[in-house]
Amino acid sequence: MPKLRTPAAVLALAVALPLLTAPVARAAALVTELPGLPGYPTHRTVAVNDLGQVIGFTSGNGAPHTVHWSPGGAHTDLGPGIPSGLNQAGQVLVQEAVNGAGPYVQRPRIWHAGKVTDISPGGGWVVASAINAKGSVPMTYSTSSSGYHQERAVVWQDGKHTALPLTGPHLWLSAINDAGVVAGNKLPMFSGDAYAFRCVDTTRCERLATVPGSGTYSVEAINEAGVIVGNEGTQALRWAGSEVTVLSKSGGVANGPQAINERGDVVGWTTEFDGDRKAVLWPGGGKPVDLGVPGPSEAVAVNERGDVVGWSSADNPDAARAFLWRNGRVTYLGSLGGAHSLPTALNDRGTIVGESTTADGTLKAVKWTLISTTPVR
């Protein structure tokens, strides 16, 4: 059994890189290793809420386990499975592939304050990838013994399943807001009609506007105003009402619920003339903003104050380097001594979570707390 590292906070000063547009700030940021579960060498984070709770999972020793970290850093093993959502109330959505129950059996559950609720609508392959502040979870499940087709759609809410008027193979319910609007896409495996859709309630679903192109659609996030963002092939898209806007014809919206915030800011990447990806912010109603981070780079999440986190591998093509963009200034975040640092999410109170390698190359879950930001002089 590998020896666990003692969780410790390390003061890391960001190192300025030559940038094209955005000023660089040297910032004091506290990078803290989140304690892992015994026997698991690798830990990754998935989300953080405004309570400071963090969720992630283990790997490297059999089936992954979901881990919950309290604001103070105490860790709890939530059992087998990988987390796919965390809401502001502290409810954790977990998906577990059940060994020994058949090759295509996956069941979701909700963990909250030590209580576990099985929310599976059946015994087959269930996909549940989003949870809103009310604990509602959209999910698809297979009625086929082969497990290849997601053929039914339901929403778990108020302790029961309610069917959505959606059927057919390869349905994906990717996002839900607190008003209960569900968004997703139909993704045929071989051929057929591909499109994104929204369900404004449990009785009415509608297709979203399409754009020219031959790629498949993927919905990434929705905000409380009902604005949906996603991709079609290599086109980054934003849907508002009946209209669709192409944010970039050669780029992509970030994956996950923090791809858009409540004021409509969207993050992701665009492709430069040299083929490199560049981190970008599409402000709500405004022109694209190059974050000034050298490529290859991507923006992965934005919070309600407009802070953006992402990564750049300009220094080392084999290792990402985490950054924070705030008010036009870039701060590079520290690591646990290794070359790799990658953010996955941030909250509105100055906490960023992600992963970092140690000096010996072991991957650990971390959180960064920004202490101060001052301009370089």
Side-chain angles (χ1 to χ4, degrees), residues 252-254 259 266-270 278-282 291 297-300 308:
V253 169
V266 184
V267 294
W269 53 272
T270 57
K278 288 289 296 294
V280 66
L281 164 70
W282 294 282
L291 300 185
S297 61
E298 293 184 21
V300 301
V308 179

Side-chain angles (χ1 to χ4, degrees), residues 12-186:
L13 296 179
V15 179
L17 285 179
L19 301 177
L20 298 178
T21 58
V24 177
R26 287 193 177 94
L30 208 61
V31 54
T32 306
E33 180 186 329
L34 296 172
L37 300 183
Y40 291 90
T42 297
H43 294 77
R44 298 175 183 271
T45 64
V46 171
V48 59
N49 63 16
D50 287 338
L51 298 174
Q53 299 168 332
V54 182
I55 57 169
F57 63 96
T58 66
S59 61
N61 185 10
H65 277 226
T66 294
V67 185
H68 176 278
W69 288 277
S70 72
H75 60 292
T76 302
D77 184 351
L78 304 191
I82 294 177
S84 55
L86 169 69
N87 66 15
Q88 296 296 350
Q91 293 176 300
V92 182
L93 178 62
V94 181
Q95 298 189 101
E96 177 190 357
V98 183
N99 294 328
Y104 302 109
V105 177
Q106 178 171 272
R107 295 173 183 160
R109 64 181 184 271
I110 294 175
W111 179 94
H112 185 224
K115 180 182 177 181
V116 178
T117 304
D118 184 346
I119 63 170
S120 179
W125 190 261
V126 184
V127 175
S129 56
I131 184 170
N132 69 10
K134 299 177 181 179
S136 299
V137 178
M139 63 188 88
T140 55
Y141 66 98
S142 175
T143 58
S144 167
S145 60
S146 68
Y148 289 123
H149 304 289
Q150 305 298 333
E151 297 174 342
R152 298 288 186 270
V154 298
V155 175
W156 168 267
Q157 56 188 13
D158 301 324
K160 63 181 181 180
H161 297 98
T162 302
L164 295 174
L166 295 167
T167 58
H170 308 294
L171 293 171
W172 300 92
L173 305 182
S174 310
I176 183 171
N177 65 13
D178 293 344
V181 180
V182 174
N185 49 275
K186 185 177 181 181

